[in-house]
Amino acid sequence: MSAEPFLLLAAALFCVGLFGALTQQSIVMLMMGLELMLGGVILAAATVWRHFAPATADGQVLIIVAVTAMALEMAVGFAVVTALFRSRETDMTDMAAELKE
């Protein structure tokens, strides 16, 4: 199978995630959009590795590190959102913007 369908799927995931990240005001939905974008990047990286350098294990290690980083990012992000919601009872980006002051 060629790399084109996988790269098209990766581009579609990235575009849907970008749309979600730019249009949503809920922090959780924003994080979901970012995760879709990272999933598209990981799928593109896996496709490039599989079709252009399948003999090396470098691509597998890169993908495992990226998926681990995604999981850690989501855990930390949800912990921050939970703490923000408990302290100020807000889950919208506009209401959380006052934290930088």
Side-chain angles (χ1 to χ4, degrees):
M1 187 171 222
S2 69
E4 289 180 12
F6 295 108
L7 291 176
L8 285 174
L9 179 61
L13 278 174
F14 189 85
C15 290
V16 168
L18 182 64
F19 177 76
L22 293 177
T23 59
Q24 297 297 320
Q25 289 188 352
S26 171
I27 297 173
V28 174
M29 294 300 287
L30 175 73
M31 289 173 46
M32 289 174 67
L34 293 174
E35 287 299 312
L36 279 174
M37 290 170 61
L38 285 173
V41 169
I42 289 173
L43 180 61
T47 302
V48 168
W49 165 76
R50 173 69 174 98
H51 283 76
F52 298 116
T56 63
D58 297 340
Q60 292 175 350
V61 172
L62 176 68
I63 291 167
I64 289 172
V65 167
V67 169
T68 304
M70 277 179 52
L72 289 172
E73 175 219 348
M74 285 304 285
V76 170
F78 279 125
V80 168
V81 170
T82 302
L84 180 64
F85 185 76
R86 286 183 181 173
S87 67
R88 299 191 185 230
E89 294 190 11
T90 182
D91 64 343
M92 298 293 180
T93 56
D94 295 339
M95 295 177 211
E98 65 189 31
L99 291 177
K100 65 181 176 182
E101 294 174 355

